[in-house]
Amino acid sequence: MPDGAIGTLGASATGNAVDTSHGVKATGVLPGSAPAAGAPVVSPPVNTSNVPILIRRLHADAPIPAYAHPGDAGADLVTTVDAELAPGERAVLPTGIAIALPDGYAAFVHARSGLAARCGVALVNAPGTIDAGYRGELKVIVVNLDPRAPVRFRRGDRIAQLVIQRVERAAFHEVEELPGSDRGAGGHGSTGGFADPAAEPQRGDKLDEANHD
């Protein structure tokens, strides 16, 4: 195996690290876990192939989107205005920037998990899609899903994340019949995995109820 190569890390029956990367060297422990005494820490590979994005400030003090941590997929977008949303209310918040993406790429605006968990803030059209040819201001359509409390945004607050991804352009071909598949036309919950409120409780549910009487 070549020295300095980085791969995935597995474990043998004896608990020792083994190579599962088909010829790629992997030693030590995974980053972020507690290493054993004397064990080296594996550093993740560094991605140096950043996609160049042209950006124009539409407001002089609008911040450039930035990644909070190394390895983050989304760059923070902030609002350039104050806003207050009552429960159930939505608003379109400007970010003060416009971008030009390379051909073959698109940007997607995702919600922030912290705002969703603490305040019930979501994006109406999540994820918002920004095409490579769009040159207007990036705006975020937020909605307050909290049933009771309003949510307040201040100028400069982080409101969403911008994820840049490569996308494929499709060529659509009309046919009389589509090829078959195991799934077929099944959809809209056809595989189960949810409870029908009107259905009788399952045997396990009845046993649970009996045990709690």
Side-chain angles (χ1 to χ4, degrees), residues 67-76 108 110 161-165:
Y67 297 98
H69 304 98
D72 283 357
D76 291 327
F108 300 92
H110 290 264
Q161 302 178 83
L162 188 69
V163 178
I164 309 297
Q165 291 181 284

Side-chain angles (χ1 to χ4, degrees), residues 2 7 14 34 37-38 47 76 79 90-91 94 103 113 134 138 141-142 144 154 156 160 163 170 189:
T14 61
N47 180 13
D76 291 327
T79 177
R90 66 182 182 269
D103 287 339
S113 58
Y134 178 65
L138 305 191
I141 311 172
V142 296
N144 178 13
R154 294 292 177 260
V163 178

Side-chain angles (χ1 to χ4, degrees), residues 13 26 37-38 42 50 57 68 72 100 104 116-117 143 148 166 184 188 191 199 201 209:
V42 175
N50 294 329
R57 295 182 201 256
D72 283 357
V143 60
R148 293 174 298 275
R166 185 185 293 275
H188 303 285
T191 59
E209 291 173 5

Side-chain angles (χ1 to χ4, degrees), residues 187-201:
H188 303 285
S190 62
T191 59
F194 60 91
D196 183 355
E200 285 291 321

Side-chain angles (χ1 to χ4, degrees), residues 79 81-86 93 115 119 121 144 149-155 157 159:
T79 177
V81 298
D82 296 342
E84 179 172 337
L85 277 64
L93 302 182
L115 284 176
C119 307
V121 173
N144 178 13
V151 61
R152 297 176 182 84
F153 294 104
R154 294 292 177 260
R155 185 174 183 173
D157 283 350
I159 55 172

